[in-house]
Amino acid sequence: MAAKRSPKDPLVRVSKAMTYVLRHNADKLGVPIDTAGFVSADDLLASEPMKRAGATLEMMIRAVDSDSKGRFQLDEPIDGHSCIRVRATQGHSMKAVSAESMMTLITDPDVELPELAIHGTFPANLDPIFEKGLLRMSRQHVHMLPRADAGTLRTGCSVLCAVDLRTAVRDGIPVFRSSNGYLLSPGEGESGCIPPRYIEAALSRTSGAVLRGGACSLGGDGIIRRDPLRGAAGRAGDRSAASGGGETGTGTGIGIGIGTGTGTGTGTGTGTGTETRTGTQTGTRTGTGTGTGIAPLGSVSIAVPVT
């Protein structure tokens, strides 16, 4: 993994200035921008944020080429400085930009999408997310990833939400793939959110422990997968208030033997039973076991097995 750059690095300053202009403020700053998000390099470099960052054309191109998240894209072919154009690949909040025109609409979710997509967040956001869903906020889309790559997750995100985008697409929610591999959705209808019913679980980014929701696991490849032993009914239960299933089993029993005869006698006994659990926590348990004992004439022997 590439070392994190210092905020004092000139390329970091240039990259932040580019983000400020290309995603959110080109129109307010008077920088001409087309519906596909492109601006000319000359116009971008003439903007006040880029001037304050001390940006040059060479620095701008280096910022594009060295960005591990693929935030920016140069228009090709590059044929002289006056012809260079650049845009942000996603994350736009300006209505002047049709972000979806630069992305690919997902039409076959079972082929084009992972089993579970990932949205990086913070522990304090879990309650709102599981109550209201994933909100796009001031952006045009909710941002997700197919895998938890260190170079693509937002810095500091310690929680990974597992999102069932396949079902969301089948239910009519649009999902797009950007040129740098992000999965983006405007949400359901006018709500601007991915509803909580599509959020299967929340996991710790560092340990992989499930913090909320159903049985999922975070692999070493950064992909979140469902527990393969669970079926569709189990997954549906995870997304709602799960009700308990039933179990049967065996337990420990008490053997009672009655000895008869002259002098001493031996007796054996067997207790049998079944274990049944209802709901999620309640249940009654009985068991099976065998016991033997030595009894005087006419007495009763009770033997308790160890296991």
Side-chain angles (χ1 to χ4, degrees), residues 134-302:
L134 296 172
L135 305 179
R136 68 189 184 199
M137 307 304 284
S138 62
R139 293 182 173 183
Q140 295 185 24
H141 300 92
V142 178
H143 288 212
M144 291 156 285
L145 288 162
R147 61 198 305 152
D149 291 329
T152 52
L153 278 170
R154 188 171 20 158
T155 302
C157 286
S158 59
V159 176
L160 307 177
C161 291
V163 188
D164 184 4
L165 284 186
R166 290 181 178 177
T167 299
V169 170
R170 287 192 287 267
D171 289 347
I173 297 178
V175 175
F176 299 85
R177 185 184 297 276
S178 67
S179 61
N180 59 340
Y182 281 76
L183 301 171
L184 302 104
S185 175
E188 184 177 48
E190 298 300 318
S191 69
C193 81
I194 303 292
R197 65 182 179 273
Y198 300 109
I199 305 170
E200 292 210 359
L203 293 80
S204 166
R205 179 181 177 183
T206 53
S207 69
V210 176
L211 306 175
R212 297 277 184 95
C216 299
S217 61
L218 175 63
D221 54 4
I223 296 175
I224 295 180
R225 298 176 175 87
R226 295 186 181 101
D227 182 340
L229 298 180
R230 292 161 56 243
R235 294 194 294 273
D238 289 338
R239 290 193 292 267
S240 61
S243 60
E247 291 186 16
T248 59
T250 59
T252 300
I254 298 177
I256 301 178
I258 300 177
T260 60
T262 302
T264 62
T266 62
T268 63
T270 301
T272 62
T274 61
E275 176 180 335
T276 303
R277 299 184 190 181
T278 61
T280 54
Q281 295 292 332
T282 62
T284 58
R285 300 187 183 185
T286 59
T288 62
T290 301
T292 60
I294 305 297
L297 179 63
S299 68
V300 176
S301 170
I302 300 177

Side-chain angles (χ1 to χ4, degrees), residues 67-89:
D67 188 88
S68 62
K69 296 185 180 181
R71 292 184 182 96
F72 310 109
Q73 180 183 12
L74 290 172
D75 195 12
E76 296 180 354
I78 296 176
D79 184 20
H81 294 177
S82 62
C83 294
I84 295 178
R85 298 194 307 162
V86 63
R87 70 179 177 185
T89 53

Side-chain angles (χ1 to χ4, degrees), residues 24-40:
H24 309 298
N25 295 287
D27 50 356
K28 296 176 184 177
L29 294 168
V31 177
I33 186 168
D34 66 17
T35 57
F38 278 112
V39 305
S40 76

